[in-house]
Amino acid sequence: MSRKYDYKIIDSHCDTIGELYQKAPLGKNEAQLDIRRMKEYKNYLQIFAVWTDASEGKILQKCKQDAIIEKFYDEIHKNADDIVHIRCADEIEKAWKNGKIAAILSVEGADCVKTCDDIDELYKKGVRCITLTWNGSNDIASGIGDDKADFGVSEFGIEAIEKMNSLGMLIDVSHISERAFWDVLEYTKSPIAASHSNSKAICSHQRNLTDKQFLALCKNGGVAGINYYPMFVNNTNKATIDDIIKHIEHFCSLGGENHIGLGGDFDGIDTVPVDLRGVENVYKLCDRLSALNYNESLINKITYENFLRLFKKVII
């Protein structure tokens, strides 16, 4: 198969597998991302997040989480010629060499994690990244959308962080409260990710990172994935690639060129930039960076090298 775009892409967050659950296949669909379109790039790695709604109740939430993970494996099996599930970082470049998309499985919002045994169970199921909270709080940490409590990381949360460090699971701090963010950095022994979070200095949304947070993430060796959701880009329902690049430029101005990646949030967002409507348009972001005189080395860092380095340090 000839490819259209000579770019390697790592995207650290999409909700596609949950969006397709009971609806459509991953190979070809009308969602914001599918295998057919990812295959147009030289190499692609996608972290597929499993998100379930805590408001549905713990039992239903756990059942649905397991069902979505089963859907992930079913799609990997059906499309084995094109995509492979990654359990350790050494498998990524092997997959790429074989012309396959690399897929990492994550859980977004650890509401179903009550004990370290639950983390072991997720690890055995192939999960290699956990976003500690969604917007609400849970047994691990307080979420950014919890107006009633910002307790940071709980005593169990400290144990969970240590457990994830020991297993080689990536800790994701997108969606957690600011106090919890600082607690995670205090207790983790491994670099972390903010898989789909932008700059608060450019767009003052609560989901974005302050300069102080981003600089601390850099010091930790972590990476922030740039989110394409217009509300996180410019606090409106309409954004462009140039608006997204403002976040990249600001993080670069802080000395963070080795700590920026892509975390588009495809199929977790109900509006998209006018010129970046799905995975088929990610090349336009790369082309625009080139047109703005970003050199090839820096573009490669942003599009895949920074996250690849992080995975090699953590997902072992």
Side-chain angles (χ1 to χ4, degrees):
M1 173 183 175
S2 62
R3 292 173 170 80
K4 289 183 180 179
Y5 315 122
D6 192 30
Y7 293 113
K8 294 183 179 182
I9 304 293
I10 289 179
D11 185 291
S12 58
H13 188 86
C14 80
D15 287 282
T16 305
I17 205 70
E19 178 65 20
L20 298 180
Y21 168 67
Q22 295 185 329
K23 294 180 182 179
L26 182 61
K28 182 180 179 181
N29 57 58
E30 299 302 316
Q32 293 165 3
L33 179 145
D34 61 21
I35 289 172
R36 172 180 57 91
R37 286 172 281 169
M38 286 189 286
K39 287 281 285 183
E40 297 286 3
Y41 294 85
K42 183 177 182 179
N43 294 119
Y44 212 99
L45 181 150
Q46 181 65 57
I47 295 187
F48 288 90
V50 176
W51 176 81
T52 52
D53 192 343
S55 68
E56 295 180 347
K58 294 178 181 179
I59 295 175
L60 181 58
Q61 188 181 20
K62 178 66 164 60
C63 290
K64 190 172 181 180
Q65 176 180 283
D66 290 344
I68 295 172
I69 291 174
E70 185 176 340
K71 166 73 170 176
F72 171 81
Y73 278 112
D74 184 51
E75 293 295 338
I76 293 291
H77 177 72
K78 287 178 180 177
N79 298 281
D81 289 341
D82 295 319
I83 189 168
V84 62
H85 177 211
I86 300 301
R87 291 176 175 82
C88 67
D90 288 346
E91 297 173 351
I92 296 170
E93 288 170 300
K94 180 180 177 181
W96 285 355
K97 185 177 180 180
N98 291 330
K100 296 186 180 184
I101 297 161
I104 293 175
L105 182 62
S106 76
V107 165
E108 182 178 26
D111 300 325
C112 296
V113 174
K114 307 297 181 185
T115 69
C116 285
D117 287 343
D118 293 331
I119 298 175
D120 275 324
E121 180 184 351
L122 289 175
Y123 185 85
K124 289 174 183 176
K125 289 182 177 180
V127 173
R128 292 297 182 267
C129 174
I130 298 178
T131 311
L132 298 184
T133 73
W134 194 57
N135 289 337
S137 301
N138 57 30
D139 288 351
I140 290 178
S142 48
I144 194 64
D146 189 343
D147 296 328
K148 296 180 180 178
D150 185 3
F151 56 83
V153 168
S154 67
E155 288 189 19
F156 167 61
I158 297 170
E159 294 179 26
I161 289 167
E162 292 172 348
K163 183 67 172 179
M164 291 178 67
N165 284 169
S166 69
L167 288 173
M169 297 179 79
L170 182 62
I171 295 171
D172 179 9
V173 296
S174 286
H175 285 287
I176 68 174
S177 71
E178 186 165 352
R179 180 176 175 183
F181 173 92
W182 294 113
D183 284 351
V184 169
L185 285 183
E186 179 179 352
Y187 294 113
T188 185
K189 292 180 172 62
S190 299
I192 63 174
S195 68
H196 52 305
S197 295
N198 293 342
S199 167
K200 201 166 189 177
I202 300 299
C203 174
S204 60
H205 194 285
Q206 65 176 1
R207 272 279 286 103
N208 291 338
L209 300 170
T210 66
D211 287 356
K212 186 177 179 181
Q213 285 178 298
F214 179 71
L215 288 169
L217 186 75
C218 294
K219 186 176 180 180
N220 161 267
V223 180
I226 299 297
N227 192 314
Y228 306 151
Y229 185 39
M231 287 301 296
F232 300 165
V233 172
N234 62 12
N235 249 331
T236 75
N237 288 319
K238 186 175 181 180
T240 67
I241 284 172
D242 281 347
D243 293 320
I244 293 170
I245 289 174
K246 291 177 183 177
H247 292 265
I248 294 173
E249 291 184 339
H250 182 72
F251 282 155
C252 282
S253 76
L254 297 175
E257 70 174 53
N258 295 318
H259 305 277
I260 309 166
L262 304 178
D265 209 358
F266 284 135
D267 295 307
I269 54 180
D270 52 10
T271 57
V272 290
V274 295
D275 44 1
L276 210 172
R277 307 197 68 80
V279 67
E280 69 275 14
N281 295 147
V282 173
Y283 81 93
K284 294 182 179 180
L285 173 58
C286 306
D287 284 352
R288 184 60 178 152
L289 290 170
S290 181
L292 292 170
N293 294 320
Y294 281 63
N295 61 46
E296 183 178 358
S297 174
L298 180 51
I299 293 172
N300 287 341
K301 286 180 180 182
I302 294 166
T303 59
Y304 80 97
E305 286 181 353
N306 290 339
F307 266 120
L308 183 60
R309 181 191 68 249
L310 177 63
F311 298 157
K312 287 181 176 180
K313 287 183 177 179
V314 178
I315 304 174
I316 55 177

